[in-house]
């Protein structure tokens, strides 16, 4: 069997609790009830995962789930309390030092006074890959920003720059910790389009995200993490099917609400439909059919369809667990 790109086994990470608690409501502690000084914060509580070369995997979870802590250990930036992490068959630090791993981190500093082009060239010189500068800038959409100072770039543009820097050494494993944090929907879409073009057979990508839709559009496999533990590790399509529900909402003239409600309730795939004043809210898997019916046979306006949420994923998993 090929050496895994990443093997995490029995990983645990505890932080000493100092001063004001940093702990989210989801992180657990050892010892007494929450609120008391109850021992260390358990950020990661027994994670096992193996990722093959060339896989693209999303670590999906809410704030404080333990995603960043896990990825920091994979990058050799932090030591585990317990457990083993192997990156490309070696230790995280060795893999990092050999230039086989790159990362786009949430907090990684950029030199604000440098221009975008200068930044890329400086890092390329450090890696000895000056020849890759033009291609990487072109592919990450930075060519037109080359002369702009980093401090004048938007949050999304700075994230793009971090992404370009991570691509320079042509890493075998790319780690992205919420790479689209702070971007609007259009910038997020752009980022993932570039990302898609950048992944080729052989490069392994692991990214942390809060967004189920990002996992869905980019990662064939999703590892759902919460409270420092893996709650699910399965093909993203399966997760998506379990979560299925979308919400369609639309505003109707008051006289049309009852008839529209009866019509949508008769459609297959509608799990729940209710009226909140003049606004119809419909949950189910048949969002296309609901939207078509409302727009073609009623006077509905302001129609919105919302994608399944992370909360819905957790709900579906808990429901499945109860079966
Ligand atoms: N240096 C630290 N000291 C104490 N507690 C910490 C430290 N770093 C993280 N934690 C706690 O560990 C838990 C896991 O945090 P982590 O940053 O790994 O979560 P995350 O899933 O990446 O969240 P986010 O999506 O908000 O980045 C949280 O409760 C956090 O407050």
């Amino acid at each position: 069997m090929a050496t895994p790109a990443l093997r995490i086994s029995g990983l645990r990470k505890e932080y000493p609790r100092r001063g004001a608690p940093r702990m989210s409501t989801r992180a657990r502690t050892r010892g007494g009830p929450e609120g008391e000084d109850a021992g260390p914060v358990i950020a990661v509580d027994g994670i096992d995962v193996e990722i093959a070369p060339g896989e693209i995997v999303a670590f999906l979870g809410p704030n404080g789930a333990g995603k960043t802590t896990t990825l920091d250990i994979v990058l050799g930036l932090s030591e585990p309390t317990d457990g083993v992490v192997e990156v490309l068959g070696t230790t995280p630090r060795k893999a990092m030092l050999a230039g086989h791993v790159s990362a786009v981190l949430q907090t990684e500093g950029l030199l604000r006074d440098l221009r975008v082009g200068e930044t890329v060239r400086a890092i390329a010189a450090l890696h000895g890959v000056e020849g890759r500068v033009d291609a990487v800038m072109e592919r990450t959409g930075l060519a037109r920003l080359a002369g702009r100072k980093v401090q004048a770039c938007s949050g999304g543009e700075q994230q793009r720059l971090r992404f370009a820097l991570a691509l320079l050494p042509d890493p075998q494993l790319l780690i992205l910790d919420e790479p689209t944090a702070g971007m609007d929907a259009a910038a997020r879409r752009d980022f993932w389009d570039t990302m898609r073009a950048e992944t080729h057979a052989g490069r392994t990508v692991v990214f942390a995200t809060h967004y189920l839709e990002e996992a869905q559009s980019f990662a064939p496999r999703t590892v759902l993490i919460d409270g420092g533990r893996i709650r699910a590790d399965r093909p993203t399509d399966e997760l998506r099917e379990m979560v299925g529900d979308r919400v369609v909402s639309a505003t109707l003239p008051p006289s049309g609400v009852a008839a529209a409600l009866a019509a949508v309730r008769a459609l297959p795939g509608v799990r729940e439909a209710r009226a909140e004043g003049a606004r119809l809210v419909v949950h189910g898997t048949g969002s296309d059919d609901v939207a078509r019916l409302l727009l073609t046979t009623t006077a509905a306006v302001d129609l919105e369809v919302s994608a399944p949420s992370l909360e819905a994923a957790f709900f579906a998993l808990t429901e499945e667990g109860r079966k």
Side-chain angles (χ1 to χ4, degrees):
M1 206 190 101
T3 309
L6 180 59
R7 196 173 70 82
I8 300 178
S9 159
L11 184 69
R12 284 178 58 81
K13 178 74 179 181
E14 295 179 359
Y15 290 107
R17 183 184 302 280
R18 273 191 237 109
R22 272 198 72 204
M23 191 185 77
S24 77
T25 50
R26 287 180 187 272
R28 282 160 309 106
T29 60
R30 194 190 276 165
E34 209 170 316
E36 286 176 19
D37 183 1
V41 176
I42 303 172
V44 175
D45 192 13
I47 283 189
D48 298 286
V49 72
E50 192 166 308
I51 295 176
E55 272 198 282
I56 299 176
V57 181
F59 280 11
L60 176 68
N63 284 319
K67 309 180 295 295
T68 299
T69 303
T70 303
L71 295 182
D72 279 354
I73 294 170
V74 167
L75 291 168
L77 299 173
S78 156
E79 287 297 317
T81 306
D82 208 351
V84 177
V85 175
E86 270 176 37
V87 179
L88 302 161
T90 182
T91 64
R93 280 191 70 78
K94 282 188 185 154
M96 195 72 182
L97 288 171
H100 297 323
V101 186
S102 273
V104 177
L105 300 179
Q106 288 181 65
T107 52
E108 195 175 31
L110 294 171
L111 295 173
R112 295 169 53 77
D113 281 335
L114 282 193
R115 296 182 192 279
V116 168
E118 290 167 342
T119 306
V120 178
R121 282 194 296 277
I123 300 295
L126 275 179
H127 288 293
V129 292
E130 289 91 334
R132 285 175 54 77
V133 167
D134 289 347
V136 165
M137 292 208 32
E138 196 56 51
R139 292 206 306 266
T140 51
L142 288 180
R144 67 186 173 81
L145 299 175
R148 188 175 297 179
K149 283 213 168 164
V150 170
Q151 62 190 340
C153 292
S154 70
E157 289 162 350
Q158 292 188 9
Q159 252 338 52
R160 226 166 231 283
L161 174 56
R162 292 189 179 97
F163 179 46
L165 301 182
L167 286 178
L168 279 172
D170 200 12
Q172 292 175 44
L173 173 62
L174 190 57
I175 305 276
L176 308 155
D177 191 1
E178 291 175 38
T180 60
M183 294 187 196
D184 62 22
R188 282 217 302 271
R189 217 172 22 245
D190 269 9
F191 178 87
W192 288 112
D193 283 348
T194 310
M195 195 55 207
R196 203 168 279 117
E198 270 309 314
T199 45
H200 52 77
R203 179 171 286 162
T204 312
V205 179
V206 178
F207 67 96
T209 180
H210 290 177
Y211 302 109
L212 181 59
E213 55 187 285
E214 285 195 345
Q216 203 181 305
S217 59
F218 194 66
R221 174 177 167 196
T222 293
V223 177
L224 198 66
I225 300 179
D226 188 27
R229 292 187 179 167
I230 294 181
R231 307 293 164 173
D233 178 353
R234 52 176 83 213
T236 310
D237 283 351
E238 259 180 41
L239 196 68
R240 168 72 183 76
E241 256 167 45
M242 287 168 60
V243 178
D245 274 16
R246 281 170 184 260
V247 182
V248 180
S249 57
T251 302
L252 286 139
S255 59
V257 171
L261 208 50
V264 294
R265 279 181 178 148
L267 288 174
V270 170
R271 201 171 49 75
E272 189 203 336
R274 62 177 189 279
E276 292 173 1
R279 190 104 185 131
L280 215 64
V281 181
V282 187
H283 292 254
T285 50
S287 58
D288 290 342
D289 292 338
V290 173
R292 197 172 297 114
L293 180 138
L294 289 174
L295 291 173
T296 58
T297 69
T298 76
V301 292
D302 285 340
L303 184 129
E304 285 178 3
V305 181
S306 63
S309 64
L310 181 54
E311 285 66 33
F314 281 115
F315 181 73
L317 284 163
T318 335
E319 285 290 288
E320 192 181 65
R322 282 201 204 105
K323 278 179 199 160

